[in-house]
Amino acid sequence: MMTTPLLIQEPTQGQAICPYCGVGCRLLMESASGELVRVTGVADAPANLGGICAKGATLPEVIHTPDRLMQPHVRAARGKEPRPMKWTDALGWTAARFREIIDRHGPDAVAFYGSGQLDSEASYLAVKLFKGSIGTNNTDSNSRLCMASAVTGYQTSLGADGPPCCYADIDLSDCLVVWGSNMADAFPVTFNRVKAHLKANPDVELIVVDPRRTNTANYATLYVPVAAGGDIPLMNAVGRLLLERGAVDHAFVAAHTEGFGAYRDFLLHADWEGLVSAAGVLEASIRALADRVARSRALLTFYCQGLNQSTVGMWKNNSIINLHLLTGQIGKPGAGPFSLTGQPNAMGGREAGLLAQALPGYRFSEDPGHRAEVEAYWGRPAGTVSTRPGLTAVEMSRALEAGRLKAIWIAATNPAVSLPDLHQVRRALSRAELIVVQDPYHPTEATQFADVLLPVAQWAEKTGTMTSSERLVSFSEQVVKPPGVALPDWQILARFGQAMGFSGFQFEDSGAVWDELIGLTAGRPCDMAEMPSERLRRERHLRWPCPSVDHPGTERLYLDRKFPTPSGRARFHARPHRPPRETTDHEFPLVLTTGRLYAHWHTLTRTGKSPKLVRLEPSAFVEVHPDDAAEVGLAAGQWAELSSRRGLIRLPVRINQRLSRGVVFVPFHWGDQQGENMAANYLTNPAIGRIAKQPEFKYCAVRLAPAPDAPEVAPDFARTTWRGKPHKAVVVEASPRPAPVPS
């Protein structure tokens, strides 16, 4: 008797960019029987050199989950359950609602709120749809919450957005500064490269500046516990010492900068004692920091949310760039101001014009010439692109609550956890006439407000293009099929554009969208015009600018010392200290700062589904200095009540003597899905800066007390957050506790 041999499906492989942070790790994906089964780092990938973090390694656990959204759903009326629909019916229903709202209230009554997780193709089509077809500049990204200050900092100091450095500069630097970033936890693959460089070169300095002695500071040769909100006076104090010691590259300053005279006079006439006091550290530490900067041959500075998430975040970015201009530490290998990007395609969204003030190709909606160029490229009548400023993330939430904004389209983000002052956000979403949420998962905190739910293909289920922190544009492959009838983000937006009756939304594939986008970058600072989809699919990645077909991509910017300003010179900006928008007092005597943990990312939409990652960090907590805890009668593992002027949360206490006195830390990942009253953003301050309009997540006044009727002690929180051993001796000093401001 003959038997039919058993057919075993061989695993298939593909390469994709990790969907978590902005490092841009290229991953080798392996699938079997239609499911992702293994993910490893690609050895020759420039971003990760084969490295992978725990989040990337556990990606197979979080893609095939029971809560995947598999078909469109529409809620006919508030209070009713959403019911499944076909794509054509769901998009047709949504288009009719959009037309009705636009006809009644005008185009500025609708908005798109996207994400640095969207690929560049989707970001571009959102911009073309809302800014180039509907006629509103109301598009923004959750990059507003983490990167807006870096964007405006680069623009105002150097003339254009975009980090001038690359990861290879780590291996060439003799002095690395990590200012306001827990790089070891938030960008572990890149920090592993830093650690390897330190190990191979014992004389290399690593300076960490942060109010919280993080895992990054374990490896520092100098740790400076700057006071929360004290970054600008510390930078100005360092600049003053560099001037006094003659550690200025006068040839570079004279030939390639402007504004130096005003900056020099500002520093030399500043009150020295006032700078030291506002910085919150001993004068000896400031001098130690200036000494290391002065003697460095190649100074590389990394920074992220610790500088950006402030009402003066742009000024902080200007101030760190000032130090690089002062010492000529820019436009050369191993040196430069390097903003770390928090999401896999936050840079790509910036290139595509997704931020409220932007248009594709690093253009601006306020510029008549830029508007005309984009309208002509899209074949739109003059005046299509609005002259009115678009609403940014926090402004959208305020406008929804006030009734000025009627409809919002939310894609690849979870604002019901990530925006500040969540009580206001929940009121705003409840008052919207129409909410469309485009997401791979349901329920999330945001999808529960949705009138329309649109299922999305995830990173391994689609092709697309993303740009990492080092301007590396990478093509990402598909290796498995999306569940149900889920579609890539770009395809959903293209179909909706057609349903609205707009021209220019017929595309065969993602490559056609990309090729249209890059035409708008020709001759711009982010020139990608000669890296078409066919070339990217073949070569996998290229850095912009890439102005010709045989150009290999640009590893470092400004090697010619020419900056994209009208004068061709970089600009010094004299930035005085401004206190945070909200200060401590007798009612709220402590400062709350928020941040990431190694095991999790953003609002747990992915990482919360991984058993391995949840075991590493199972719950939110409040981290407290032992003296602050003892002052209110709290011990490790006890439940605390943490309140601000906006709300109250309850969390177990984790004691950390390495935290600055007067500062408490809460990770921002947890939301209502994991438990009531756990989300840090019920407390945070929604105040935004004047230009960058980034919220002040890193500083708000809070009160700490034992929680009444608290649960039993949580034993896991008896430990501290310290992991590992320092690289070598660390210079540490205690930060003075900030004095309450009298009410």
Side-chain angles (χ1 to χ4, degrees), residues 68 77 111 190 199 232 341 436 465 511 515 521 543 624 742:
R68 284 298 300 272
T190 302
K199 185 176 181 180
I232 290 177
T341 309
V436 180
T465 310
D515 289 343
T521 70
R543 286 185 192 85
V624 188

Side-chain angles (χ1 to χ4, degrees), residues 316-534:
K316 292 183 181 184
N317 278 259
N318 294 147
S319 298
I320 202 76
I321 295 172
N322 284 342
L323 298 181
H324 280 269
L325 299 179
L326 192 64
T327 53
Q329 297 280 9
I330 187 172
K332 67 178 188 178
F338 198 156
S339 69
L340 295 167
T341 309
Q343 296 185 85
N345 199 40
M347 280 294 299
R350 286 142 69 176
E351 296 151 11
L354 188 56
L355 291 174
Q357 74 276 14
L359 291 170
Y362 280 4
R363 293 178 175 85
F364 299 95
S365 59
E366 66 182 14
D367 187 309
H370 289 180
R371 294 196 302 272
E373 289 169 358
V374 174
E375 287 165 347
Y377 188 85
W378 284 337
R380 301 295 195 253
T384 298
V385 178
S386 176
T387 60
R388 293 181 295 277
L391 296 172
T392 62
V394 171
E395 292 171 326
M396 287 180 183
S397 185
R398 294 171 181 169
L400 281 171
E401 185 178 15
R404 297 191 306 275
L405 190 62
K406 305 294 182 181
I408 186 166
W409 189 303
I410 299 168
T413 187
N414 193 5
V417 179
S418 58
L419 285 178
D421 191 4
L422 287 179
H423 290 295
Q424 187 279 327
V425 175
R426 295 180 70 85
R427 292 194 304 270
L429 294 173
S430 297
R431 294 179 187 179
E433 287 188 19
L434 177 65
I435 297 176
V436 180
V437 179
Q438 186 170 311
D439 202 276
Y441 301 102
H442 175 66
T444 70
E445 288 84 354
T447 64
Q448 296 187 81
F449 287 92
D451 301 293
V452 182
L453 286 165
L454 303 177
V456 172
Q458 287 209 60
W459 60 286
E461 301 164 346
K462 62 179 182 179
T463 60
T465 310
M466 293 189 171
T467 307
S468 75
S469 293
E470 59 171 349
R471 295 174 287 102
L472 188 74
V473 182
S474 297
F475 176 70
S476 196
E477 295 177 324
Q478 178 182 356
V479 72
V480 293
K481 293 181 179 179
V485 295
L487 294 174
D489 294 283
W490 74 264
Q491 198 167 350
I492 296 171
L493 292 165
R495 290 189 182 192
F496 180 70
Q498 295 174 54
M500 289 287 289
F502 299 130
S503 62
F505 288 92
Q506 294 77 25
F507 296 95
E508 291 184 3
D509 55 25
S510 63
V513 183
W514 173 256
D515 289 343
E516 180 176 302
L517 161 61
I518 61 174
L520 276 168
T521 70
R524 303 296 301 162
C526 59
D527 194 333
M528 302 178 287
E530 296 303 335
M531 52 172 78
S533 59
E534 185 276 331

